[in-house]
């Protein structure tokens, strides 16, 4: 029954998958938002971008100009672009340092045009979170609540990031207000938030664990951005070395390689599968998941592949700096699929490539990491970062 439910969920999100990942993301499963841009894969996007700039400049109806600003924001989110062109065309007097700056400025300008649109404000706050500007994002959520005091999602995000910033009083007050607005949803999200602290206490396995199930088990290897020519970076190769050790230790296990951001005509899953087979892993043990563009989709699509293959438990393989986020997102998605099918969530463990100087340093979850984990947890729970545009 889970297979049917998961299949429906997969079908609903496949159409949302793009051919390349967000411009600010360095991989479908990175430790944190980076600054690389897959603009070379945009393919003919320059002409349409020029028309969008023109639509904002000209005397078009307000709705058309707002639509153009939203499209510009999503273009720079996904593909990146020429920052100087954006400054000269529509953001005169503003120095842009990265693609996420364009995203934020586009939504800020749209909010100026329609200050009553709470979805535009919500998108602006999400862009500010991408910029790691939490105080500005908190102010934007507060603006939404000034217009709509009963807006559950804005209250939730303000509450979540109050926790991240260490404002215990604001977090407590926020949770009380959420309980007043919707007691059942508030309890669900309070439990979700608690999982972040629970996962923070989970020790990393720097070696492939002993005692894993001999049958119906899969190792899920999370991808990392390829170079522009389709070559794997050291981070991904190190993850694959962990996967090879796991495959050798558990010869009846499967390996799910997940990552669908193409570079140089090849996806992460293609590159990972090729490396594993070249290093002695039988091809029929490898399941390629080539749709995911980020960690949230890694979970959605990999768990579907695991269900199709009859997997009953799994171990995630990623960098230590990314593992807590992966465990939270996969755990949240697995709970959803189990709820839809009426079954019990499958066990999910970890094996990491240690990308910290020491295991002790890796064991500490800093505020920037917690911010990204909370952001993706909310996205995994069904709350889109950019309403109607991008999860």
């Amino acid at each position: 029954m889970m297979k049917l439910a998961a299949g429906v969920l997969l079908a609903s999100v496949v159409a949302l998958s793009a051919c390349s990942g967000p411009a600010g993301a360095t991989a479908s499963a990175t430790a944190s938002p980076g600054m690389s841009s897959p603009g070379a894969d945009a393919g003919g996007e320059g002409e349409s971008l020029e028309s969008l700039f023109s639509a904002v400049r000209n005397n078009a109806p307000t709705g058309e100009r707002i639509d153009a600003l939203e499209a510009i924001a999503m273009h720079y989110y996904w593909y990146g672009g020429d920052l100087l062109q954006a400054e000269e065309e529509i953001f005169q007097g503003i120095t842009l340092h990265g693609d996420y700056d364009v995203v934020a400025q586009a939504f800020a300008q749209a909010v100026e045009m329609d200050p009553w649109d709470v979805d535009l404000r919500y998108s602006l706050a999400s862009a500010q979170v991408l910029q790691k500007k939490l105080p500005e994002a908190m102010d934007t959520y507060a603006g939404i609540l000034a217009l709509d005091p009963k807006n559950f999602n804005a209250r939730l995000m303000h509450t979540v990031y109050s926790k991240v910033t260490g404002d215990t009083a604001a977090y407590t007050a926020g949770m009380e207000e959420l309980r007043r607005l919707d007691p059942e949803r508030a309890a669900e999200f309070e439990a979700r938030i608690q999982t972040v602290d629970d996962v923070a206490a989970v020790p990393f396995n720097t070696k492939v664990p002993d005692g894993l199930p001999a049958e119906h088990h899969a190792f899920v290897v999370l991808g990392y951005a390829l170079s522009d020519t389709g070559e794997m970076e050291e981070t991904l190769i190190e993850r694959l070395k962990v996967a090879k050790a796991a495959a050798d230790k558990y010869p009846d296990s499967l390996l799910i390689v997940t990552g669908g951001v193409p570079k140089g005509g090849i996806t992460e899953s293609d590159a990972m599968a090729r490396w594993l087979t070249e290093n002695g892993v039988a091809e029929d043990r490898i399941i390629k998941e080539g749709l995911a563009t980020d960690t949230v989709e890694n979970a959605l699509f990999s768990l579907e592949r695991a269900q199709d293959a009859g997997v009953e438990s799994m171990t995630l393989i990623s960098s230590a700096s990314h593992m807590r986020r992966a465990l939270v997102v996969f755990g949240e998605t697995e709970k959803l699929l189990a709820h839809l099918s009426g079954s019990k969530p499958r066990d999910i463990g970890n094996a990491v490539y240690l990308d910290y100087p020491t295991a002790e340093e890796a064991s500490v979850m800093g505020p920037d990491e917690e911010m990204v984990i909370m952001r993706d947890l909310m996205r995994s729970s069904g709350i889109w970062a950019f309403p109607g545009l991008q999860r």
Side-chain angles (χ1 to χ4, degrees):
M1 187 171 178
M2 177 180 280
K3 181 176 179 180
L4 175 60
V8 171
L9 180 62
L10 176 61
S12 70
V13 295
V14 165
L16 301 174
S17 299
C19 293
S20 60
T26 56
S28 63
T30 55
S32 62
M35 295 307 296
S36 65
S37 167
D41 290 325
E45 294 292 332
E47 183 178 353
S48 61
L49 185 60
E50 178 57 38
S51 67
L52 292 171
F53 285 138
S54 178
V56 174
R57 288 194 308 268
N58 294 340
N59 292 324
T62 303
E64 291 182 13
R65 284 180 283 151
I66 290 175
D67 287 346
L69 285 166
E70 288 182 319
I72 288 168
M74 289 296 96
H75 177 101
Y76 276 83
Y77 177 88
W78 276 103
Y79 308 116
D82 187 328
L83 300 180
L84 182 60
Q85 181 186 19
E87 289 179 11
E88 293 175 345
E89 296 283 359
I90 54 175
F91 303 125
Q92 293 91 348
I94 298 174
T95 301
L96 302 170
H97 299 287
D99 295 316
Y100 288 156
D101 289 353
V102 180
V103 178
Q105 287 299 326
F107 281 115
Q109 192 169 120
V111 167
E112 288 181 1
M113 291 183 183
D114 187 358
W116 296 273
D117 190 321
V118 295
D119 282 349
L120 289 176
R121 289 182 179 271
Y122 193 94
S123 292
L124 172 58
S126 294
Q128 291 163 333
V129 171
L130 288 175
Q131 293 175 299
K132 299 184 180 180
K133 294 182 177 180
L134 280 189
E136 289 88 341
M138 300 281 280
D139 287 344
T140 303
Y141 291 126
I144 295 173
L145 294 171
L147 292 169
D148 180 10
K150 296 183 179 181
N151 190 301
F152 187 93
N153 287 355
R155 178 70 65 185
L156 173 65
M157 300 309 291
H158 191 280
T159 301
V160 164
Y161 291 126
S162 293
K163 181 179 186 300
V164 172
T165 59
D167 190 341
T168 304
Y171 174 73
T172 301
M175 286 306 309
E176 290 177 356
E177 181 63 19
L178 289 169
R179 295 187 194 101
R180 189 185 68 80
L181 291 173
D182 191 327
E184 184 175 352
R185 285 191 74 196
E188 291 173 353
F189 278 100
E190 191 167 17
R192 288 185 173 105
I193 293 167
Q194 180 59 44
T195 64
V196 177
D197 291 333
D198 295 341
V199 166
V202 173
F204 288 149
N205 296 310
T206 56
K207 295 183 179 180
V208 179
D210 297 326
L212 297 178
E215 298 180 344
H216 306 296
H217 188 81
F219 294 94
V220 182
V221 192
L222 284 82
Y224 187 88
L226 306 176
S227 71
D228 289 340
T229 57
E231 300 298 321
M232 292 191 297
E233 305 287 353
E234 179 183 1
T235 295
L236 186 50
I237 294 173
E238 292 297 331
R239 294 180 187 182
L240 288 170
K241 290 178 182 177
V242 177
K244 175 62 165 62
D248 291 344
K249 188 168 185 174
Y250 294 94
D252 293 325
S253 65
L254 297 174
L255 291 95
I256 301 174
V257 291
T258 171
V261 179
K263 292 291 186 70
I266 185 172
T267 65
E268 298 149 86
S269 61
D270 291 330
M272 288 189 283
R274 183 175 61 191
W275 188 96
L276 288 168
T277 55
E278 289 175 351
N279 284 273
V281 178
E283 187 174 353
D284 62 3
R285 296 179 61 189
I286 302 170
I287 299 173
K288 292 197 294 183
E289 185 293 295
L291 293 175
T293 62
D294 59 19
T295 305
V296 175
E297 291 187 351
N298 286 140
L300 283 168
F301 303 145
S302 296
L303 291 171
E304 161 72 4
R305 302 293 188 274
Q307 178 59 32
D308 288 345
V311 171
E312 297 175 0
S313 62
M314 64 201 79
T315 299
L316 305 184
I317 295 176
S318 191
S319 306
S321 58
H322 177 250
M323 183 55 76
R324 279 181 282 262
R325 177 153 55 115
L327 287 171
V328 167
V329 170
F330 272 75
E332 174 66 19
T333 305
E334 177 63 14
K335 289 175 186 175
L336 169 64
L337 297 181
H339 174 73
L340 291 173
S341 66
S343 60
K344 180 181 177 182
R346 292 167 289 188
D347 290 334
I348 302 175
N350 77 84
V352 304
Y353 151 55
L354 188 63
D355 57 346
Y356 287 87
T358 67
E360 289 74 20
E361 291 180 64
S363 68
V364 178
M365 180 179 69
D368 282 352
E369 182 184 359
E370 184 179 9
M371 177 192 70
V372 175
I373 292 172
M374 289 293 190
R375 181 200 71 196
D376 280 3
L377 172 60
M378 296 302 110
R379 295 171 62 225
S380 298
S381 74
I383 299 176
W384 281 35
F386 302 94
L389 299 171
Q390 167 64 32
R391 181 176 36 239

